């Protein structure tokens, strides 16, 4: 009978160890799940930030293109004004004679 009691005690001790191991595994699984959720949330935030940056870069590119066109127009207008100034200067020179 003592051998049976000893085996039962040993079985209960093993069961307690298994129970603790299962709890440790569950805790580790929950911690891992929290970490995965945090990573997923962070990736989502980075994705939103990347999309916003891409949108801003597109806006800057459009503004740069517009500025380039304005500079081209300004250069053409400057050339035209210079030609008109030359023509005006020649006209004034005729009256000086």
């Amino acid at each position: 009978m003592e051998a049976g009691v000893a085996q039962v005690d040993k079985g209960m001790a093993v069961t307690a160890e298994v129970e603790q191991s299962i709890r440790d595994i569950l805790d580790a699984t929950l911690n891992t799940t929290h970490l995965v959720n945090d990573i997923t949330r962070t990736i989502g935030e980075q994705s939103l930030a990347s999309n916003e940056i891409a949108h801003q870069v597109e806006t800057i590119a459009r503004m740069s293109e517009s500025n380039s066109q304005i500079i081209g127009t300004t250069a053409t207008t400057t050339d035209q004004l210079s030609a008109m100034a030359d023509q005006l200067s020649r006209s004034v020179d005729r009256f000086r004679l």
Side-chain angles (χ1 to χ4, degrees):
M1 179 93 164
E2 282 185 30
V5 170
Q7 283 184 338
V8 168
D9 287 342
K10 187 176 179 182
M12 289 181 67
V14 169
T15 300
E17 287 177 21
V18 169
E19 180 183 2
Q20 185 59 46
S21 294
I22 289 172
R23 286 181 189 197
D24 292 344
I25 291 170
L26 179 60
D27 287 343
T29 302
L30 290 174
N31 287 335
T32 302
T33 301
H34 289 298
L35 291 173
V36 168
N37 288 337
D38 288 345
I39 291 168
T40 301
R41 182 181 39 74
T42 301
I43 289 171
E45 290 171 359
Q46 287 179 345
S47 178
L48 290 174
S50 294
N51 288 339
E52 181 61 26
I53 289 169
H55 175 72
Q56 294 300 329
V57 167
E58 288 175 6
T59 301
I60 291 168
R62 281 193 304 274
M63 291 171 68
S64 294
E65 184 178 330
S66 176
N67 287 344
S68 178
Q69 290 173 352
I70 291 169
I71 289 169
T73 302
T74 302
T76 300
T77 303
T78 302
D79 289 344
Q80 290 171 347
L81 285 173
S82 179
M84 292 171 85
D86 287 343
Q87 185 180 14
L88 184 59
S89 179
R90 283 191 301 263
S91 294
V92 169
D93 284 345
R94 274 191 252 161
F95 287 109
R96 286 187 195 169
L97 294 178

